[in-house]
Amino acid sequence: MTIDALIVGAGFSGSVIARLLAENTKAKILVIDSRDHIGGNCYDYVNQYGIRVSKYGAHLFHTKRQDVWDFISSYGTWEPWEHKVLAKIYPRDGCDESVHVPVPVCIQTIQQLYDPSIETEEDMRRWLAEETKNVINSGPFKNSMESAVARFGCRIYNDFFRNYTWKQWNKYPDNLDSSVLERIPLRYDRDDRYFTDPIQMLPSCGYTQVFDQLLDHPQIEIKLSTDYFLERHCFNGVQFTVFTGPIDGYFASYGLDRLEYRSLHFEDFNINVEQNDAVVQPASVVNEPSMRVPYTRTVEFKQFLNQRSPYSTLVREYSSSFGEPYYPVPNDQNLKLYSKYQQLAVKETGKERRNVQFLGRLANYKYLNMDQAIGNALDHWQQWKTEGFLKEMV
Ligand code: FAD
Ligand code: UDP
């Protein structure tokens, strides 16, 4: 077919824009993805044991934005799910005894690990004030070590963040932008949920169904296993392109250094637990902040939405510099380099022509949650409409 709009990437960024274009214009839209499935990093499937597994790591939807939820909840079916995470901590050096404590740090974490007498919010504030009394830096923070030590003190920083961050990023927190550890909240109460957003949901039949419905429109065609970088010459005449892949790949011929990303490798194993409701670990996600094991966390997928199966599928996550790009690595050097790519993107987008747009976690080189990726796409759509540059397609 002759196409008016090309969307590179069938993750949330690309799929939301494809849907908005289809519903609001007459454009014929082609969505391509280099992978053999839709859904980007949110893709999931049911495995041979009847358990829904996310191919690229557990995905929990949470948002404060009502407009994001109003939009996405009309695709697929969703149900409330509040995520909880435990960290496996070895309280004594050289001893194999471990405890599972809640993350983010809350009253129960401190009680179990450091001081059983902590009961109230007031106790917690007093305890933390004592832990951080020698910290003179009150911000602005230059890196994640400074911001975490100022909030948590050195003990919690060392037990929970220093080594986990090393395993995840191959950098200690003092070499990462403060935003990385600022993602992790600190609770003064007993709220041990991983997120506190008012909307916390999981799709009952998986994220892939949400994407199937998002992309199910007569104006949208999907072509999988199609790499834009190998086939971009075929799309030269397309009026409008939205690119959601890695920005340094798009501008690879410009001779700039490549951006740094972290990738993940997943190791799964299946255990016969014999009973439909039996599980293996004490929470759906167990973080491993110690250096005793090389992986960062283990996910037991059966626990999400209390799935039933006589087996359980567990997946360990290993972070790596090699493989598909998952996480942009935010530090000074990479952010400076990214700003050069951003300048190229501004030129490419072109004030008059406006025919290429860069959206999403990889194209914006930014750690985005799903709701932020969806919200970003909705916001851009509004902006494009206001600026009127899609009018030829309407
Ligand atoms: P992506 O989903 O990465 O989609 C980009 C797509 O572009 C990919 O499908 C890719 O194959 C395709 N592409 C790239 N290059 C090309 C090319 N050259 N040609 C064709 N196609 C190309 N968010 C949450 O809110 N909650 C969570 O619990 C959560 N957990 C996460 C866990 C992990 C391990 C990871 C990595 C991310 C997690 N996220 C989570 C973030 C979530 O995955 C992202 O917000 C979301 O995937 C962003 O969507 P996107 O469309 O921008 O990018
Ligand atoms: N982190 C940590 N210890 C933990 C959990 C997280 O040090 O127990 C740090 C780590 O650097 C991680 C970052 O906090 O990359 C963000 O964690 P989050 O769970 O939000 O990341 P994601 O689920 O996206 O991997």
Side-chain angles (χ1 to χ4, degrees):
M1 74 174 184
T2 332
I3 56 165
D4 305 303
L6 172 71
I7 313 290
V8 181
F12 269 126
S13 302
S15 303
V16 169
I17 291 293
R19 184 74 199 192
L20 291 168
L21 270 171
E23 282 189 354
N24 295 289
T25 74
K26 296 196 187 82
K28 291 200 171 64
I29 303 145
L30 176 65
V31 178
I32 63 168
D33 203 296
S34 47
R35 292 170 171 165
D36 62 0
H37 57 74
I38 57 172
N41 281 348
C42 310
Y43 171 74
D44 54 17
Y45 60 95
V46 176
N47 71 9
Q48 69 267 43
Y49 303 107
I51 300 166
R52 188 174 306 284
V53 174
S54 292
K55 184 167 179 184
Y56 307 98
H59 274 72
L60 290 305
F61 183 85
H62 56 102
T63 191
K64 293 185 177 61
R65 277 185 65 167
Q66 189 62 41
D67 62 330
V68 166
W69 175 240
D70 290 344
F71 175 85
I72 204 61
S73 57
S74 48
Y75 303 98
T77 48
W78 297 74
E79 53 192 288
W81 183 260
E82 292 188 328
H83 186 43
K84 292 195 178 177
V85 176
L86 295 176
K88 189 173 180 183
I89 305 281
Y90 295 85
R92 278 183 291 279
D93 282 346
C95 172
D96 281 343
E97 197 185 308
S98 63
V99 278
H100 288 95
V101 297
V103 204
V105 169
C106 58
I107 289 181
Q108 297 90 306
T109 318
I110 305 303
Q111 280 181 331
Q112 280 176 255
L113 217 45
Y114 307 115
D115 186 344
S117 74
I118 303 301
E119 287 288 348
T120 63
E121 195 171 320
E122 211 189 343
D123 294 344
M124 185 74 172
R125 288 189 186 276
R126 206 178 320 109
W127 188 88
L128 279 161
E130 187 61 26
E131 284 294 292
T132 53
K133 71 174 182 211
N134 294 324
V135 180
I136 40 174
N137 188 350
S138 57
F141 303 111
K142 288 198 291 293
N143 56 57
S144 269
M145 182 183 78
E146 288 186 359
S147 61
V149 169
R151 281 197 300 154
F152 297 95
C154 287
R155 231 179 340 168
I156 294 181
Y157 170 76
N158 284 320
D159 284 345
F160 286 83
F161 301 119
R162 186 174 180 275
N163 293 330
Y164 186 106
T165 299
W166 170 260
K167 290 196 282 183
Q168 170 70 22
W169 299 96
N170 199 31
K171 286 180 178 33
Y172 285 111
D174 53 343
N175 279 318
L176 285 167
D177 190 72
S178 59
S179 61
V180 174
L181 288 185
E182 278 164 3
R183 276 171 66 84
I184 305 292
L186 163 60
R187 308 265 164 75
Y188 296 93
D189 55 17
R190 291 178 180 272
D191 188 349
D192 61 352
R193 296 171 304 162
Y194 205 63
F195 310 111
T196 49
D197 287 348
I199 300 165
Q200 304 191 34
M201 295 281 171
L202 280 180
S204 317
C205 302
Y207 287 95
T208 304
Q209 189 199 55
V210 174
F211 283 91
D212 273 333
Q213 294 186 11
L214 259 175
L215 294 169
D216 180 17
H217 191 283
Q219 283 162 248
I220 301 178
E221 189 189 327
I222 304 167
K223 229 176 136 206
L224 299 174
S225 307
T226 303
D227 190 329
Y228 178 72
F229 300 140
L230 300 178
E231 305 203 14
R232 78 206 279 183
H233 58 278
C234 307
F235 305 115
N236 280 340
V238 177
Q239 190 183 343
F240 181 60
T241 299
V242 177
F243 180 80
T244 74
I247 192 162
D248 56 339
Y250 188 95
F251 292 112
S253 63
Y254 284 66
L256 292 174
D257 286 341
R258 296 306 288 261
L259 288 163
E260 188 184 4
Y261 297 93
R262 292 300 285 168
S263 190
L264 291 176
H265 294 290
F266 300 97
E267 178 188 42
D268 17 333
F269 45 103
N270 298 292
I271 297 173
N272 184 349
V273 289
E274 286 170 9
Q275 280 163 27
N276 277 333
D277 55 356
V279 294
V280 175
Q281 55 180 37
S284 55
V285 174
V286 172
N287 285 2
E288 295 276 359
S290 96
M291 293 303 276
R292 296 179 192 224
V293 294
Y295 46 91
T296 52
R297 58 188 172 195
T298 307
V299 179
E300 186 171 21
F301 280 95
K302 185 181 178 181
Q303 295 202 28
F304 295 122
L305 298 180
N306 303 317
Q307 299 176 67
R308 294 172 69 75
S309 167
Y311 281 79
S312 190
T313 300
L314 288 97
V315 179
R316 288 177 178 156
E317 289 183 16
Y318 296 80
S319 171
S320 152
S321 335
F322 305 103
E324 280 197 80
Y326 290 138
Y327 294 99
V329 182
N331 64 10
D332 275 355
Q333 195 188 339
N334 292 330
L335 295 176
K336 271 190 200 129
L337 180 57
Y338 168 64
S339 73
K340 294 187 183 163
Y341 281 108
Q342 232 178 344
Q343 286 164 21
L344 292 175
V346 169
K347 273 198 202 144
E348 184 85 351
T349 301
K351 279 250 175 320
E352 298 88 39
R353 281 165 55 234
R354 290 253 179 200
N355 62 354
V356 185
Q357 294 286 334
F358 298 86
L359 275 194
R361 209 181 215 215
L362 299 171
N364 294 156
Y365 198 64
K366 200 167 177 198
Y367 203 106
L368 296 177
N369 286 325
M370 290 181 281
D371 68 320
Q372 293 170 312
I374 297 166
N376 203 23
L378 295 177
D379 293 346
H380 273 84
W381 175 258
Q382 278 308 328
Q383 195 187 322
W384 299 340
K385 260 191 7 191
T386 314
E387 290 169 359
F389 79 94
L390 290 171
K391 57 179 178 290
E392 297 98 66
M393 281 190 260
V394 177

PDB file of all heavy atoms in Angstrom, residues 16 63 72 103 141 257 264 275 346 365 368:
ATOM      1  N   VAL A  16       0.735   3.963  20.373  1.00  0.00           N
ATOM      2  CA  VAL A  16      -0.240   4.994  20.752  1.00  0.00           C
ATOM      3  C   VAL A  16      -0.355   6.027  19.628  1.00  0.00           C
ATOM      4  O   VAL A  16      -1.461   6.424  19.238  1.00  0.00           O
ATOM      5  CB  VAL A  16       0.166   5.656  22.101  1.00  0.00           C
ATOM      6  CG1 VAL A  16      -0.668   6.895  22.379  1.00  0.00           C
ATOM      7  CG2 VAL A  16       0.031   4.652  23.239  1.00  0.00           C
ATOM      8  N   THR A  63       0.189   4.797  37.441  1.00  0.00           N
ATOM      9  CA  THR A  63       0.210   6.181  36.962  1.00  0.00           C
ATOM     10  C   THR A  63      -0.577   7.115  37.882  1.00  0.00           C
ATOM     11  O   THR A  63      -1.490   6.685  38.590  1.00  0.00           O
ATOM     12  CB  THR A  63      -0.341   6.290  35.521  1.00  0.00           C
ATOM     13  OG1 THR A  63      -0.052   7.597  35.022  1.00  0.00           O
ATOM     14  CG2 THR A  63      -1.848   6.041  35.455  1.00  0.00           C
ATOM     15  N   ILE A  72      -5.609   4.371  27.875  1.00  0.00           N
ATOM     16  CA  ILE A  72      -5.100   2.999  27.707  1.00  0.00           C
ATOM     17  C   ILE A  72      -6.089   1.954  28.211  1.00  0.00           C
ATOM     18  O   ILE A  72      -6.124   0.822  27.717  1.00  0.00           O
ATOM     19  CB  ILE A  72      -3.691   2.844  28.355  1.00  0.00           C
ATOM     20  CG1 ILE A  72      -2.929   1.689  27.689  1.00  0.00           C
ATOM     21  CG2 ILE A  72      -3.728   2.660  29.861  1.00  0.00           C
ATOM     22  CD1 ILE A  72      -2.673   1.843  26.239  1.00  0.00           C
ATOM     23  N   VAL A 103      11.210  -3.425  50.065  1.00  0.00           N
ATOM     24  CA  VAL A 103      11.728  -2.253  49.367  1.00  0.00           C
ATOM     25  C   VAL A 103      10.524  -1.628  48.668  1.00  0.00           C
ATOM     26  O   VAL A 103       9.741  -2.382  48.089  1.00  0.00           O
ATOM     27  CB  VAL A 103      12.729  -2.618  48.237  1.00  0.00           C
ATOM     28  CG1 VAL A 103      13.660  -1.485  47.946  1.00  0.00           C
ATOM     29  CG2 VAL A 103      13.415  -3.895  48.443  1.00  0.00           C
ATOM     30  N   PHE A 141      22.253  17.692  44.322  1.00  0.00           N
ATOM     31  CA  PHE A 141      23.141  16.531  44.314  1.00  0.00           C
ATOM     32  C   PHE A 141      23.726  16.296  42.932  1.00  0.00           C
ATOM     33  O   PHE A 141      23.022  16.362  41.936  1.00  0.00           O
ATOM     34  CB  PHE A 141      22.377  15.300  44.786  1.00  0.00           C
ATOM     35  CG  PHE A 141      21.785  15.490  46.146  1.00  0.00           C
ATOM     36  CD1 PHE A 141      20.412  15.587  46.315  1.00  0.00           C
ATOM     37  CD2 PHE A 141      22.609  15.605  47.260  1.00  0.00           C
ATOM     38  CE1 PHE A 141      19.864  15.789  47.568  1.00  0.00           C
ATOM     39  CE2 PHE A 141      22.072  15.807  48.530  1.00  0.00           C
ATOM     40  CZ  PHE A 141      20.701  15.905  48.676  1.00  0.00           C
ATOM     41  N   ASP A 257      30.184   9.523  18.712  1.00  0.00           N
ATOM     42  CA  ASP A 257      30.309   8.285  19.490  1.00  0.00           C
ATOM     43  C   ASP A 257      28.925   7.691  19.704  1.00  0.00           C
ATOM     44  O   ASP A 257      27.933   8.422  19.727  1.00  0.00           O
ATOM     45  CB  ASP A 257      30.908   8.591  20.874  1.00  0.00           C
ATOM     46  CG  ASP A 257      32.393   8.881  20.756  1.00  0.00           C
ATOM     47  OD1 ASP A 257      32.992   8.501  19.735  1.00  0.00           O
ATOM     48  OD2 ASP A 257      32.927   9.525  21.689  1.00  0.00           O
ATOM     49  N   LEU A 264      19.829  -6.525  29.188  1.00  0.00           N
ATOM     50  CA  LEU A 264      19.538  -7.542  30.196  1.00  0.00           C
ATOM     51  C   LEU A 264      19.583  -8.910  29.542  1.00  0.00           C
ATOM     52  O   LEU A 264      19.244  -9.060  28.367  1.00  0.00           O
ATOM     53  CB  LEU A 264      18.128  -7.350  30.767  1.00  0.00           C
ATOM     54  CG  LEU A 264      17.856  -6.129  31.643  1.00  0.00           C
ATOM     55  CD1 LEU A 264      16.380  -6.083  32.026  1.00  0.00           C
ATOM     56  CD2 LEU A 264      18.717  -6.152  32.904  1.00  0.00           C
ATOM     57  N   GLN A 275       1.334 -28.068  43.263  1.00  0.00           N
ATOM     58  CA  GLN A 275      -0.002 -27.519  43.522  1.00  0.00           C
ATOM     59  C   GLN A 275      -0.219 -26.223  42.755  1.00  0.00           C
ATOM     60  O   GLN A 275       0.705 -25.412  42.643  1.00  0.00           O
ATOM     61  CB  GLN A 275      -0.166 -27.255  45.002  1.00  0.00           C
ATOM     62  CG  GLN A 275      -0.494 -28.534  45.742  1.00  0.00           C
ATOM     63  CD  GLN A 275      -0.259 -28.406  47.217  1.00  0.00           C
ATOM     64  OE1 GLN A 275      -0.334 -27.315  47.750  1.00  0.00           O
ATOM     65  NE2 GLN A 275       0.047 -29.524  47.841  1.00  0.00           N
ATOM     66  N   VAL A 346      16.643  17.790  16.055  1.00  0.00           N
ATOM     67  CA  VAL A 346      15.905  19.043  15.822  1.00  0.00           C
ATOM     68  C   VAL A 346      16.035  19.446  14.353  1.00  0.00           C
ATOM     69  O   VAL A 346      15.054  19.810  13.698  1.00  0.00           O
ATOM     70  CB  VAL A 346      16.427  20.161  16.761  1.00  0.00           C
ATOM     71  CG1 VAL A 346      15.869  21.514  16.363  1.00  0.00           C
ATOM     72  CG2 VAL A 346      16.066  19.848  18.200  1.00  0.00           C
ATOM     73  N   TYR A 365      16.362   8.892  24.743  1.00  0.00           N
ATOM     74  CA  TYR A 365      17.434   8.485  25.654  1.00  0.00           C
ATOM     75  C   TYR A 365      17.061   8.816  27.103  1.00  0.00           C
ATOM     76  O   TYR A 365      17.760   9.487  27.833  1.00  0.00           O
ATOM     77  CB  TYR A 365      18.749   9.174  25.276  1.00  0.00           C
ATOM     78  CG  TYR A 365      19.965   8.473  25.877  1.00  0.00           C
ATOM     79  CD1 TYR A 365      20.292   7.178  25.511  1.00  0.00           C
ATOM     80  CD2 TYR A 365      20.776   9.115  26.805  1.00  0.00           C
ATOM     81  CE1 TYR A 365      21.387   6.529  26.058  1.00  0.00           C
ATOM     82  CE2 TYR A 365      21.872   8.480  27.365  1.00  0.00           C
ATOM     83  CZ  TYR A 365      22.161   7.183  26.983  1.00  0.00           C
ATOM     84  OH  TYR A 365      23.248   6.531  27.539  1.00  0.00           O
ATOM     85  N   LEU A 368      11.926   5.934  30.793  1.00  0.00           N
ATOM     86  CA  LEU A 368      10.487   6.234  30.863  1.00  0.00           C
ATOM     87  C   LEU A 368       9.716   5.008  31.328  1.00  0.00           C
ATOM     88  O   LEU A 368       9.916   3.909  30.803  1.00  0.00           O
ATOM     89  CB  LEU A 368       9.932   6.603  29.477  1.00  0.00           C
ATOM     90  CG  LEU A 368      10.428   7.852  28.760  1.00  0.00           C
ATOM     91  CD1 LEU A 368       9.782   7.961  27.378  1.00  0.00           C
ATOM     92  CD2 LEU A 368      10.091   9.093  29.578  1.00  0.00           C
TER      93      LEU A 368
END
